[in-house]
Amino acid sequence: MSKKDNVGMALILDYLNEKNRPYSAQDVFGNLQKQHGLGKTAVVKALEQLAQEGKIKEKIYGKQKIYFADQAQFTEVSETDLKAMDSQVSELSTKVQAVTQDCRQLETELKQLNSSLTTADMMSEIQQLKAECSGYRERLEKIKSATNHITPEEKEKVYKDRNLYVKEWKKRKRLASDMISAILEGYPKSKKQFLEEAGVETDEDCKVAVPNT
């Protein structure tokens, strides 16, 4: 047997003893070939050799062979020891869950920090807001110092004039509508044709509407 074969057998033996669980030749090959570059034929040959030498155990299930570590080499574990290990596993599982939860919380906080403004960004934004506030103050001062403010009396007059014009608009629109209706009673064509021939433009044509008073 070559030195390479001996190295392969030693690797496989250490692997089976370390994992201490059953594997097929395909499992062992898949788990070791990437890291150690073992070929499938070499793995099968090494497993069979180790089984023949009694260094590992072999079981046949149908057409498949299963290999596992010789349990005689391991110290017998009592029921008390098993319970203690179960308790330790449970305790460690609880700690793992707590640590996992803490990690998730820290990841969330990290994402929030990464998405928040840096000190430099905040200072820049503060300066921009101060500049905007200064501009608003200047505009306010100009408005306060302006001499063309409308007095309450002038404002009242504007509203009264507006109401007067709106009432007149409605009155004239109603008179025009009555006149057109009277003409259409003896007119042989449609209202649209009459308006076009008479050159009359309606509010709708001009896209305007009578405002509310």
Side-chain angles (χ1 to χ4, degrees):
M1 185 176 294
S2 67
K3 183 178 180 181
K4 184 177 180 181
D5 292 336
N6 288 331
V7 172
M9 288 179 61
L11 285 171
I12 294 172
L13 178 60
D14 290 342
Y15 178 76
L16 291 178
N17 287 335
E18 177 188 354
K19 300 301 181 181
N20 194 20
R21 55 169 294 182
Y23 288 107
S24 66
Q26 180 62 40
D27 294 332
V28 175
F29 165 70
N31 295 337
L32 297 180
Q33 64 96 12
K34 281 188 178 181
Q35 184 177 358
H36 300 287
L38 298 179
K40 187 173 181 180
T41 302
V43 169
V44 173
K45 183 178 178 181
L47 288 169
E48 290 178 348
Q49 183 66 30
L50 288 168
Q52 289 176 4
E53 294 177 2
K55 295 179 179 179
I56 63 173
K57 296 298 182 181
E58 175 188 271
K59 291 288 185 180
I60 300 177
Y61 296 95
K63 296 182 179 180
Q64 188 176 36
K65 292 182 179 181
I66 300 298
Y67 301 91
F68 54 92
D70 184 3
Q71 300 301 302
Q73 64 183 308
F74 300 115
T75 304
E76 186 175 350
V77 181
S78 65
E79 187 69 24
T80 302
D81 292 335
L82 287 174
K83 289 182 180 179
M85 285 189 285
D86 287 340
S87 177
Q88 185 177 10
V89 168
S90 178
E91 182 180 348
L92 291 174
S93 297
T94 302
K95 289 182 179 180
V96 168
Q97 291 178 357
V99 171
T100 302
Q101 184 64 32
D102 290 342
C103 288
R104 290 175 180 172
Q105 180 65 30
L106 290 173
E107 287 176 356
T108 301
E109 293 178 2
L110 180 60
K111 288 180 181 179
Q112 292 174 347
L113 290 174
N114 288 336
S115 62
S116 62
L117 293 176
T118 63
T119 302
D121 292 336
M122 291 178 67
M123 294 301 296
S124 176
E125 188 164 339
I126 289 172
Q127 293 300 322
Q128 183 179 350
L129 291 173
K130 285 182 176 179
E132 291 179 2
C133 288
S134 178
Y136 292 143
R137 289 195 187 96
E138 290 179 5
R139 289 176 57 187
L140 181 60
E141 292 300 326
K142 289 180 180 179
I143 293 173
K144 288 182 178 179
S145 61
T147 58
N148 59 346
H149 293 302
I150 299 176
T151 64
E153 292 76 15
E154 291 174 328
K155 183 177 179 180
E156 182 67 21
K157 183 177 183 304
V158 170
Y159 278 115
K160 286 183 178 180
D161 290 345
R162 175 185 179 278
N163 290 336
L164 177 63
Y165 296 146
V166 170
K167 288 180 180 179
E168 188 65 22
W169 184 353
K170 291 182 177 180
K171 177 181 176 182
R172 294 191 180 190
K173 182 174 183 177
R174 185 171 59 255
L175 289 173
S177 179
D178 292 343
M179 290 174 60
I180 291 172
S181 296
I183 293 172
L184 289 175
E185 288 181 359
Y187 190 73
K189 300 180 181 179
S190 67
K191 179 179 179 180
K192 182 178 180 181
Q193 290 174 315
F194 169 72
L195 294 176
E196 289 177 352
E197 292 178 0
V200 177
E201 291 185 347
T202 64
D203 292 344
E204 290 74 15
D205 293 332
C206 297
K207 294 182 174 56
V208 295
V210 179
N212 296 324
T213 54

